[in-house]
C-alpha cells in the first residue's frame, strides 16, 4: 500500500537507513495502522533486522532487540526491530501483535525475505490468538477506566483489538485497521470515536463518555470473541516451525 500523504516517508526512511544492521522489513504500526491517527500522532515503526552469522556464532552480546526513539522534525518517532530468529519465534507464539507488524500494509522497507515471511504467516495463526486479543483488550479497558479524564485512544484500542480478534477467529485473516473492521461490525459509536480521535489530538479526552454504555459493549464484544474462539476452525497449533527455521538459516548464511 502506498503510504498516506500525511505520513512523512522520507523521515521514516532516514531512520531505517541509520540502522546498524540490514533490515528485512520496516512497517508502520500504531494509530496510523489502526486507522485513527491524529495530526500529532507519533510514528511507530516496527521491523526485523538480521544479525550476521559471525555475531550469532561468536561471543558477542547479541542485539536481538534494538530500539531507537526521539523527536525529529517535530515528530515523535521510534523504530523497534527484532533479529529475524527472535521475530520468527514470536510468530510461533499466540502473538497477534507481531503478525500485525509483519502484515502491515504501511510498508517503509521490504525485501524478498519479508515476502517469504508473509507467505508463511498464515501457518502461524491459531485459535489461541484469541487470548492475545482478550488480554490486550482487558489491559486497555482498565487503562481507560482508571484515568481521571478518560481519553479516546485507550477506548479505541479496546474496540480495535476485540474486533481484530473476532475477525481473525472468523476468517483467519489479520486485520488491524478499525475503520475496515467497523465496515463489517457497523458500530456507529465506533465511527464517532474514530472521527473524534482523527480530528483531535493524540491525547484527546472524552469528557462526555457514557461509561455504562461502553462497559456493556466491552462485555458484549468480549463474549462474542470468546464465542468465536470456541467455534473457530483455526488449528490448535502453528505448523510453520520448519519453514521459518529454514528461512532463518538461509537468510543468516547470506548475510
Amino acid at each position: 500500500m502506498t503510504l498516506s500523504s500525511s505520513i512523512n516517508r522520507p523521515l521514516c526512511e532516514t531512520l531505517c537507513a541509520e540502522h546498524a544492521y540490514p533490515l528485512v522489513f520496516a512497517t508502520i504500526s500504531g494509530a496510523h495502522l489502526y486507522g485513527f491517527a491524529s495530526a500529532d500522532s507519533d510514528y511507530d515503526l516496527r521491523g526485523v533486522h538480521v544479525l550476521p552469522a559471525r555475531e550469532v556464532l561468536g561471543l558477542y552480546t547479541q542485539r536481538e532487540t534494538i530500539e531507537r526513539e526521539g523527536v525529529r522534525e517535530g515528530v515523535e518517532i521510534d523504530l523497534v526491530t527484532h533479529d529475524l530468529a527472535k521475530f520468527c519465534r514470536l510468530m510461533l507464539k499466540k502473538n497477534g501483535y507481531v503478525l500485525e507488524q509483519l502484515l502491515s500494509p504501511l510498508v517503509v522497507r521490504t525485501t524478498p525475505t519479508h515476502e517469504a515471511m508473509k507467505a508463511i504467516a498464515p501457518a502461524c495463526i491459531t485459535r489461541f490468538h484469541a487470548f492475545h486479543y482478550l488480554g490486550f483488550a482487558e489491559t486497555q479497558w482498565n487503562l481507560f477506566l482508571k484515568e481521571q479524564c478518560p481519553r479516546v485512544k485507550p477506548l479505541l484500542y479496546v474496540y480495535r483489538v476485540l474486533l481484530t480478534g473476532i475477525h481473525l477467529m472468523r476468517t483467519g485473516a489479520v486485520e488491524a485497521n478499525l475503520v475496515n473492521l467497523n465496515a463489517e461490525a457497523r458500530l456507529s459509536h465506533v465511527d464517532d470515536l474514530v472521527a473524534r480521535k482523527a480530528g483531535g489530538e493524540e491525547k484527546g479526552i472524552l469528557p462526555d463518555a457514557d461509561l455504562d454504555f461502553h462497559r456493556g459493549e466491552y462485555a458484549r464484544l468480549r463474549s462474542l470473541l470468546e464465542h468465536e474462539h470456541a467455534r473457530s476452525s483455526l488449528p490448535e497449533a502453528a505448523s510453520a516451525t520448519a519453514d521459518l527455521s529454514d528461512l532463518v538459516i538461509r537468510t543468516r548464511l547470506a548475510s
Side-chain angles (χ1 to χ4, degrees), residues 12 18-19 31 41 59 70 83 100 108 121 133 143 170 173 183 209 227 254:
C12 297
E18 295 172 355
H19 202 284
S41 291
L59 298 178
D83 174 61
E100 292 169 11
V108 178
Y133 290 105
L143 176 62
R170 288 174 173 172
H227 172 73

Side-chain angles (χ1 to χ4, degrees), residues 15-36:
L15 192 61
C16 291
E18 295 172 355
H19 202 284
Y21 297 100
L23 291 179
V24 170
F25 74 85
T27 60
I28 297 177
S29 185
H32 289 93
L33 173 61
Y34 306 148
F36 47 75

Side-chain angles (χ1 to χ4, degrees), residues 1 3-4 6-7 25-38 41-46 96-107 133 136 153 156-157 160-161 164 174-181 194 197 202:
M1 174 183 288
L3 294 186
S4 167
S6 64
I7 294 175
F25 74 85
T27 60
I28 297 177
S29 185
H32 289 93
L33 173 61
Y34 306 148
F36 47 75
S38 303
S41 291
D42 56 357
Y43 289 5
D44 301 308
L45 274 65
R46 300 293 181 264
Y97 189 45
V98 297
L99 294 178
E100 292 169 11
Q101 296 168 14
L102 174 67
L103 301 171
S104 170
L106 304 179
V107 179
Y133 290 105
F136 194 179
K153 185 176 179 179
L156 279 171
Y157 268 68
R160 199 285 292 178
V161 296
T164 293
V174 177
E175 175 57 73
N177 185 290
L178 181 56
V179 175
N180 295 339
L181 291 162
V194 169
K197 172 65 169 58
E202 176 68 8

Side-chain angles (χ1 to χ4, degrees), residues 23-234:
L23 291 179
V24 170
F25 74 85
T27 60
I28 297 177
S29 185
H32 289 93
L33 173 61
Y34 306 148
F36 47 75
S38 303
D40 63 339
S41 291
D42 56 357
Y43 289 5
D44 301 308
L45 274 65
R46 300 293 181 264
V48 165
H49 64 269
V50 182
L51 293 173
R54 183 179 184 87
E55 290 193 24
V56 174
L57 297 173
L59 298 178
Y60 293 94
T61 299
Q62 295 181 23
R63 302 179 68 186
E64 284 198 310
T65 300
I66 298 176
E67 302 181 31
R68 296 192 63 187
E69 61 181 359
V71 178
R72 298 194 180 191
E73 300 179 20
V75 178
E76 291 186 30
I77 185 168
D78 66 88
L79 171 62
V80 180
T81 65
H82 299 302
D83 174 61
L84 177 62
K86 178 177 180 178
F87 194 91
C88 287
R89 290 194 297 269
L90 291 172
M91 288 174 64
L92 292 169
K93 298 179 179 180
K94 56 177 186 293
N95 190 324
Y97 189 45
V98 297
L99 294 178
E100 292 169 11
Q101 296 168 14
L102 174 67
L103 301 171
S104 170
L106 304 179
V107 179
V108 178
R109 180 75 62 89
T110 189
T111 63
T113 301
H114 180 207
E115 294 302 319
M117 294 172 72
K118 291 196 292 183
I120 296 170
C124 297
I125 297 171
T126 73
R127 294 176 60 244
F128 294 100
H129 278 79
F131 297 114
H132 165 85
Y133 290 105
L134 286 166
F136 194 179
E138 182 176 10
T139 297
Q140 293 299 317
W141 176 249
N142 289 334
L143 176 62
F144 173 71
L145 287 182
K146 78 176 186 180
E147 294 182 321
Q148 193 167 24
C149 296
R151 290 182 297 127
V152 184
K153 185 176 179 179
L155 186 56
L156 279 171
Y157 268 68
V158 170
Y159 285 114
R160 199 285 292 178
V161 296
L162 288 173
L163 291 178
T164 293
I166 291 166
H167 183 80
L168 183 64
M169 291 300 102
R170 288 174 173 172
T171 68
V174 177
E175 175 57 73
N177 185 290
L178 181 56
V179 175
N180 295 339
L181 291 162
N182 202 41
E184 176 183 342
R186 298 181 180 181
L187 304 177
S188 60
H189 56 283
V190 169
D191 286 336
D192 293 341
L193 289 169
V194 169
R196 177 174 291 202
K197 172 65 169 58
E201 299 178 347
E202 176 68 8
K203 297 181 180 179
I205 62 172
L206 196 64
D208 55 346
D210 186 338
L211 294 182
D212 288 339
F213 172 79
H214 291 297
R215 184 178 287 108
E217 281 295 274
Y218 169 63
R220 181 182 70 83
L221 292 173
R222 277 190 66 93
S223 295
L224 182 55
L225 176 50
E226 291 167 348
H227 172 73
E228 294 298 339
H229 162 254
R231 67 190 292 270
S232 175
S233 60
L234 289 170

